Amino acid sequence: MENIKNFFYPKSICVVGASTKEKSIGYELLRTISNYGYKGIIYPVNPKADSVLGYKCYKSIEVIDGQIDLGIIVVPKQFAEESVDSLLAKNVKSIVLITAGFKEVGKEGEEVENRITKKVKDAGARLVGPNCMGVINTLESTKLNATFVAEKPETGGTGFLSQSGALGAAVLNSLRETDIKFAHFISVGNKADINENDLLHFWQSDDNIKTITTYLESFIDGENFVKPIITGEVTKPVIVLKAGKTSSGMKAASSHTGALSSRDQVVEAVLRQFGILRVNDINELFNTAKGFENFPFPKGNRVAIITNAGGPAILAVDSLEKENLILAEFSEETKNELKEVVNPEGSVMNPVDLLPGATAEVYRKVNEIVVQDPNVDSVISIFVQPVMVDPFEVVEAVYDINTDKPIMQIDMPLPEFWDDYRKFSKKKLPIFRNPEEPAEVISNMLYYSMAQEGLKDHREEYAEQFKMTGKGKFNFKPGFIPQEEIFSITSYYNIPIITQTLIKPDEIKNLNDDIYPVVLKGINHEVIHKSELDAVKLNIKTKEELIARADEIISNFNRFKFDVEQFLIQPYIEIKHEVLLGGFRDPSFGPIIMFGTGGKYVEVICDTAIRSAYMSDNDLDEIIEETVIGKILKGIRGEEGIDMNKLKRVIRSSSKMMIENENIIEFDLNPLIISKDNSIHAVDVRIKVG
Amino acid sequence: MENIKNFFYPKSICVVGASTKEKSIGYELLRTISNYGYKGIIYPVNPKADSVLGYKCYKSIEVIDGQIDLGIIVVPKQFAEESVDSLLAKNVKSIVLITAGFKEVGKEGEEVENRITKKVKDAGARLVGPNCMGVINTLESTKLNATFVAEKPETGGTGFLSQSGALGAAVLNSLRETDIKFAHFISVGNKADINENDLLHFWQSDDNIKTITTYLESFIDGENFVKPIITGEVTKPVIVLKAGKTSSGMKAASSHTGALSSRDQVVEAVLRQFGILRVNDINELFNTAKGFENFPFPKGNRVAIITNAGGPAILAVDSLEKENLILAEFSEETKNELKEVVNPEGSVMNPVDLLPGATAEVYRKVNEIVVQDPNVDSVISIFVQPVMVDPFEVVEAVYDINTDKPIMQIDMPLPEFWDDYRKFSKKKLPIFRNPEEPAEVISNMLYYSMAQEGLKDHREEYAEQFKMTGKGKFNFKPGFIPQEEIFSITSYYNIPIITQTLIKPDEIKNLNDDIYPVVLKGINHEVIHKSELDAVKLNIKTKEELIARADEIISNFNRFKFDVEQFLIQPYIEIKHEVLLGGFRDPSFGPIIMFGTGGKYVEVICDTAIRSAYMSDNDLDEIIEETVIGKILKGIRGEEGIDMNKLKRVIRSSSKMMIENENIIEFDLNPLIISKDNSIHAVDVRIKVG
């Protein structure tokens, strides 16, 4: 951890490749470090220069006399490895390799990258990059902007990790317009060593960080990204913008379950399951981070809207619905108090309409009245600038209110306002620009706090399951496992596979009387299309009928010169619903379970939900209820539901099978039949081992 | 039309209520008109002032000697009516009533508003408002900003109508940051007279307008909003931001069809059906308008992406999928030409990665090569500002390319760039700020041009149906119509309702032989629960069986001391699929048809599509294919489909029934059964008349 700390809090840094040439990265980086006012010692290294930007220049790393906390390399790629060597020789334990041209350009680059990474690891050091944009710490004690974007970021409480240097640069370029504030920024590039999982732990341990934000194009190890969040090692809000979606299923998958899901759905489902916020764009990423840092948490989903203008309020109301929030219903007391303040031609109902003339004082009073209503969990206060009211006064008056509920303001002023606000505002709390934004933020905050509660309640359940990982006793050969083994594993895990009895034709008479109704199938290993030979008889109700039907099958076979070698007897089940239950192993997030509508139309019906196989009881309820078939099975419109506990037990035991037997890469129960008497039967089970 | 023209092109205007008091609307409005440089004559009216802002002031409207093209009223509401009277007396035919406090505040206000509207109409004049924010014409010949937002909008080719004054004000406030440009702006307020339908026609006729944009909270008459677009009277792109969504179904509706749809779904479906673009927020509204005004139309959905930065390009690729666009596959020729220009460590595949060092010259050449590839329909060129390249040069070089395909640029520069661009750019074409925006715009433009083609091809079909509106011959009493009438109307419209034969018990023997299989039901008017008496027999295959089952029913009834009064005989249908087909009359958009999965789970399955009942053959295909059940019926996974033409005929004739009989307010065929032999049967038909 100490070595990671030095990326953000170095007392001395060495810039290998510092340059005197303007617009070169080696020059710009040093200039940025210098301009932003770094508080430690800078050692520029350049064999050909005596000084750069007024700093004394060192000919080589060796000649530096002093401790180097952080080495930053910006040399051309052919010199990168030797620079790493020299830093390691100098006992530097934290290295940022900004230089590009490694794994991302091909095989040769990959080899060099691997060599460098090995050397770093062997030396007990840590490496950021290569192919990255550097690191920033905005905190007063360090003030390090070791990137080549010459902005001077303001201090906030967010940690921001970007897998793309360019996206990081784009965000940095926009800071003065977006008012994004962070404590730490790190561009991790190729993630040869340091990756998002390291940063989760480090930022959790750093008291300067309140919120963890990431832009990711891939997860280095999804299972270990979510695990510390499940176990409670990481409790700070984690917000993920994950790019690189693709709708193409896992083409190679041979099961329904695999083919029906995409890698992106897995990401979506697993992050959601464990309370990690996945956002859709950069704007939502930082709006949400601003929410976490600057406002108290909402305790519920009831929102009050205050406005001086109809249209934007209607758009805000629309956004509530989209975000699963509701318009609060004010108490009579609140309405009466509002009547004292609000223009009689306005409205004291929610949304409260103050009309364009409303002053800063009216805004303050109305917000104060509304926020203390016990039926209100959050307030959105909207102000569109009319000629006669100063937006700055309104915004300051409302953000001056002390409350333990979030009040978020939307301001639609003339452009002059923003500079004034940045300069003169007392609290400088975030102001939103679009009527749709606060609902998104409130909803994200609410989701996070509810998910945290859920995780706390179920932590032991998850822990139990983690313990069982790989503890399974079944060892199968790769490929689809044969029928006998399916019987043995499904019976071990209590998966209700339908019983099948294979008997010789002359044993028919010896069958018990309590097996009816049954299905009878004639088998000859040469006969594949049973229906052509009329070899399947359904719903046989008595022994007499069974014998008669068996004779029919035998004579059918004989007519085509076949013998009946064996009869297969199964209970006859009248289908009421067909369910799909399956699982597969995601290369990053591990065992995944899918539940939904089964049968032959699965591809078009697309009624499935997925979760990590590590499931709490609550996750089991949710995976079922997220689907249409789940709602139907629970019972709707007066129709009796099935025993949901039985269904949950089947899902639970299938998950257990996936967790315990890590060699199972896919399984598929399609259909899992719900019969007319509401019992559950697996009729077609496929399990693939890798 | 002349009177509407005068709202935008008046040669003289009269401001009734001009004030000398700063920050009052009467003062600010006049000041804005003056500052923006109105080219005509201004007559301020104020009984108490000699001059306002240097303009000679008139004591009353009467004393003005000269033609007044446009009267703008900003007096307090108690003087509004007399101001209108005076303007009408002066023969002013175009009046903007900015004053608020009418219909929107209650009954009294509504009465005054109605009175004013009647007077205006009687005088052959037109009224904008009340409760509105005024009008703007940015064109050089007029230069009128008759609102109280003191901005100086730049000239563009968009007409923008806002039902909310405040939303209009918010947009005007933001102009300098968003670079939105329009020709005309109109705030229609309460829409007492002038509304969106008037503006559609006016802007279609005005050559200065290329694109029509609207923010609406309600449609004054949806049927007549879409009709001119269907008939081809209005061909310019119409973009609608419709606020005020609600998920609550039409609670009062008594049918499935009604309860399953919301007003907002109707808006969504009908606008889409007729090629009107519905957007989700203000940003998309104006981005799309910018697209229409400044770029050629894409001819297909294949997009090339050019970038100097990975992350933003990946986000752009993600956005393609969301918008139903695809990444173009370059020809070998293109790839070879790109190799000459692109950095060898970059990529000549799509997305083309130029790496951060790419200069303006590289950007120009690469865009030129890519845009001429026949496999490319549009280009998105992304630039994230690195230290060493000037964003202004890149943007100018790319927008200098002459091509008949759209090239849209995303720029992520330092904030300084924007002012430079606004001042010095040659073409001042729009630049997008987020990686997701251009895909949305390209998709909207493509949708519009495809929809226009579709409308052209089907114009006659629609015209035929318009002619039939209200020409139906059925006159029913209000309420659910009785069974006999259902038979008569469904047989007239060829809706395949299942045949039912009622016979006396002794007539059983006389039935024809070609009716089997059938269902037999015993009827006694006192017996309601047929199943208790075992009064229903399914799947009877022969006459002998029918007679035997009839005897069984008779004896069952007798045992409970009932007679069988009649037998009901229906064909026996084995259900394969249950479909829902229904219709209802939307108060604004008229007859609406719904198609989807039927049966008892409709509320949870939610697999329905809706359309205006005025449908082209193509609309019929689409309403079917939009649903899961439609895809299944068409035939999937080797399963034979049903005769789709038969299904389309049933939907068509139901639509015809709704169109021709305007007293039908709802109908419901649920389920419409698709039998195992793929035939279609309506078994439960409900028709409600209003």
Side-chain angles (χ1 to χ4, degrees), chain A residues 14 16 45 59-64 68 82-83 86-87 90:
Chain A
C14 162
V16 189
V45 177
K59 300 289 176 196
S60 71
I61 296 164
E62 292 90 73
V63 300
I64 298 171
I68 303 170
E82 61 188 76
S83 301
S86 307
L87 284 170
K90 197 76 185 176

Side-chain angles (χ1 to χ4, degrees), chain A residues 39-52:
Chain A
K39 298 285 171 69
I41 306 164
I42 307 170
Y43 300 109
V45 177
N46 180 336
K48 294 181 204 145
D50 292 329
S51 76
V52 185

Side-chain angles (χ1 to χ4, degrees), chain A residues 283-569:
Chain A
N283 203 29
E284 187 184 354
L285 181 71
F286 290 107
N287 272 339
T288 304
K290 287 176 186 176
F292 279 109
E293 279 183 32
N294 295 287
F295 301 101
F297 276 92
K299 304 260 183 325
N301 65 351
R302 301 164 304 172
V303 180
I305 296 177
I306 298 166
T307 188
N308 67 346
I314 296 179
L315 293 173
V317 172
D318 284 351
S319 70
L320 293 188
E321 183 163 298
K322 196 177 146 211
E323 300 292 342
N324 288 316
L325 303 171
I326 58 171
L327 265 183
E329 288 228 19
F330 294 152
S331 70
E332 284 310 310
E333 216 178 317
T334 298
K335 281 186 249 175
N336 289 334
E337 283 182 56
L338 285 175
K339 277 182 197 146
E340 307 282 306
V341 194
V342 175
N343 184 322
E345 292 190 354
S347 165
V348 299
M349 309 284 279
N350 193 8
V352 184
D353 191 351
L354 308 178
L355 300 187
T359 61
E361 203 38 41
V362 172
Y363 262 94
R364 177 206 295 271
K365 278 188 193 150
V366 168
N367 269 280
E368 279 171 347
I369 294 167
V370 164
V371 81
Q372 54 74 44
D373 187 316
N375 302 320
V376 169
D377 298 309
S378 328
V379 179
I380 297 175
S381 182
I382 305 172
F383 176 79
V384 178
Q385 181 176 357
V387 216
M388 44 286 187
V389 186
D390 179 3
F392 183 80
E393 287 174 13
V394 171
V395 167
E396 289 295 286
V398 174
Y399 276 156
D400 202 37
I401 297 169
N402 276 318
T403 161
D404 61 349
K405 298 177 187 173
I407 300 180
M408 298 188 188
Q409 292 191 80
I410 296 162
D411 202 6
M412 301 176 107
L414 288 169
E416 289 75 18
F417 164 81
W418 298 105
D419 271 345
D420 279 3
Y421 186 72
R422 282 175 199 123
K423 275 186 213 139
F424 305 117
S425 169
K426 214 167 77 184
K427 295 189 181 166
K428 292 195 172 64
L429 290 178
I431 295 171
F432 299 93
R433 292 178 175 230
N434 293 315
E436 295 89 0
E437 290 174 346
E440 199 168 60
V441 175
I442 291 169
S443 171
N444 284 344
M445 292 176 75
L446 189 60
Y447 159 70
Y448 167 78
S449 57
M450 285 168 60
Q452 279 295 316
E453 285 306 308
L455 284 175
K456 259 186 233 156
D457 293 346
H458 299 287
R459 207 147 268 160
E460 280 173 36
E461 277 180 75
Y462 291 120
E464 284 300 310
Q465 295 172 58
F466 283 133
K467 266 189 240 155
M468 298 311 295
T469 303
K471 296 281 168 67
K473 61 168 200 163
F474 290 93
N475 264 314
F476 304 113
K477 287 201 203 81
F480 284 104
I481 67 174
Q483 205 57 32
E484 313 86 75
E485 293 186 339
I486 285 191
F487 276 110
S488 92
I489 192 167
T490 51
S491 96
Y492 179 83
Y493 283 104
N494 245 322
I495 293 168
I497 192 166
I498 206 163
T499 55
Q500 298 189 339
T501 315
L502 277 171
I503 52 168
K504 299 270 176 225
D506 56 4
E507 294 167 349
I508 283 274
K509 296 170 194 69
N510 312 332
L511 287 169
N512 286 342
D513 283 340
D514 59 356
I515 59 170
Y516 301 99
V518 295
V519 174
L520 178 71
K521 295 180 190 174
I523 293 178
N524 175 304
H525 69 283
E526 288 178 71
V527 178
I528 293 165
H529 296 294
K530 296 190 183 71
S531 58
E532 282 173 20
L533 287 182
D534 199 9
V536 181
K537 303 286 179 184
L538 301 174
N539 199 10
I540 297 169
K541 288 176 182 154
T542 62
K543 190 166 201 168
E544 292 70 48
E545 208 185 333
L546 181 69
I547 293 167
R549 298 285 168 268
D551 286 344
E552 278 173 36
I553 293 175
I554 290 169
S555 58
N556 282 339
F557 271 52
N558 290 346
R559 215 178 312 141
F560 289 89
K561 313 276 180 226
F562 288 117
D563 282 334
V564 173
E565 296 167 353
Q566 282 184 304
F567 278 113
L568 181 94
I569 294 173

Side-chain angles (χ1 to χ4, degrees), chain B residues 65-127:
Chain B
D65 50 354
Q67 162 79 17
I68 302 169
D69 283 350
L70 175 62
I72 302 167
I73 301 173
V74 286
V75 298
K77 67 175 172 178
Q78 59 273 30
F79 306 119
E81 189 170 0
E82 62 189 75
S83 301
V84 171
D85 289 339
S86 306
L87 284 170
L88 293 176
K90 197 76 185 174
N91 205 25
V92 177
K93 296 293 189 199
S94 308
I95 301 171
V96 178
L97 180 51
I98 287 180
T99 311
F102 295 91
K103 197 170 71 188
E104 77 279 12
V105 299
K107 192 137 186 64
E108 209 178 314
E110 186 171 1
E111 279 166 20
V112 184
E113 183 172 321
N114 289 344
R115 225 159 42 223
I116 290 176
T117 312
K118 185 167 184 312
K119 285 176 178 172
V120 167
K121 287 195 175 158
D122 289 347
R126 301 306 301 263
L127 177 78

